Amino acid sequence: MKVILKADIKGVGKKDQIINASDGYVRNFLFPKNLAVEANTENMSKLKAKQDSNAFKKSQEKEEAEKIAEKLSKILLKIKVKSGANGKIFGGISSKEIAENLEKQYQIKIDKKKIDLKDTIKTLGTVNVEIKLFEGVIGKIKIDVISE
């Protein structure tokens, strides 16, 4: 019997996947636990509408991320820090500080987890940093670390 899964089931399939399962398994396990619905025309059309809606939302989010990436490429973010005589800074600049300065200076809100910083920035000068905005959309920003 063909059914549409309502949840991920280990060894069977993922949510919204159409599977072919034995009648007994469907009647005695999947239907009583509300883990699946029959793959009739009504449920198939609901599934298609849901998938189309999700695809539209993803395309909107990707478009938004591309706009932000374009804005970021034109930005030179200046961060003032206390530094020693040899150009080393006290402490370091983390992704959290980058996100906060980006929001303060340019009103662009980005989650600190999306900023791809291998290690904290510990020297003065210009540094290029990548920001993962969406699947396949990476923004690049230049950060100018200057002494106070």
Side-chain angles (χ1 to χ4, degrees):
M1 175 185 284
K2 280 192 167 199
V3 292
I4 301 169
L5 296 178
K6 288 178 144 184
D8 291 351
I9 303 171
K10 191 173 184 179
V12 179
K14 301 259 184 215
K15 183 179 179 183
D16 293 332
Q17 185 179 358
I18 300 167
I19 63 160
N20 206 359
S22 68
D23 291 350
Y25 182 62
V26 171
R27 275 195 308 271
N28 297 324
F29 182 74
L30 295 177
F31 285 167
K33 293 194 177 207
N34 203 21
L35 295 172
V37 291
E38 189 178 347
N40 58 22
T41 54
E42 181 186 346
N43 290 333
M44 292 292 279
S45 64
K46 283 181 185 176
L47 177 65
K48 174 123 176 68
K50 187 176 181 182
Q51 288 172 340
D52 290 345
S53 172
N54 288 343
F56 179 74
K57 284 179 188 173
K58 270 197 165 190
S59 70
Q60 292 290 90
E61 288 175 20
K62 187 171 184 174
E63 220 173 89
E64 191 78 22
E66 287 170 348
K67 287 178 185 175
I68 292 171
E70 193 176 315
K71 281 183 190 176
L72 290 175
S73 66
K74 297 173 186 170
I75 289 176
L76 177 64
L77 184 67
K78 294 184 184 210
I79 300 177
K80 291 182 180 178
V81 292
K82 290 182 180 177
S83 65
N86 60 352
K88 288 239 181 196
I89 63 175
F90 299 121
I93 298 173
S94 65
S95 57
K96 181 181 176 187
E97 291 174 90
I98 294 170
E100 287 171 356
N101 278 293
L102 198 57
E103 191 171 354
K104 269 187 213 168
Q105 294 177 26
Y106 296 99
Q107 290 75 42
I108 298 174
K109 193 168 188 159
I110 290 180
D111 187 15
K112 68 179 182 181
K113 294 173 193 146
K114 293 183 177 187
I115 298 172
D116 190 23
L117 198 61
K118 271 73 172 165
D119 198 19
T120 56
I121 301 169
K122 296 183 179 183
T123 56
L124 295 174
T126 306
V127 181
N128 290 325
V129 176
E130 288 186 349
I131 300 173
K132 295 175 183 167
L133 298 167
F134 195 74
E135 298 168 19
V137 180
I138 296 174
K140 294 183 188 213
I141 186 170
K142 285 184 181 177
I143 299 171
D144 191 17
V145 182
I146 50 179
S147 181
E148 281 185 343

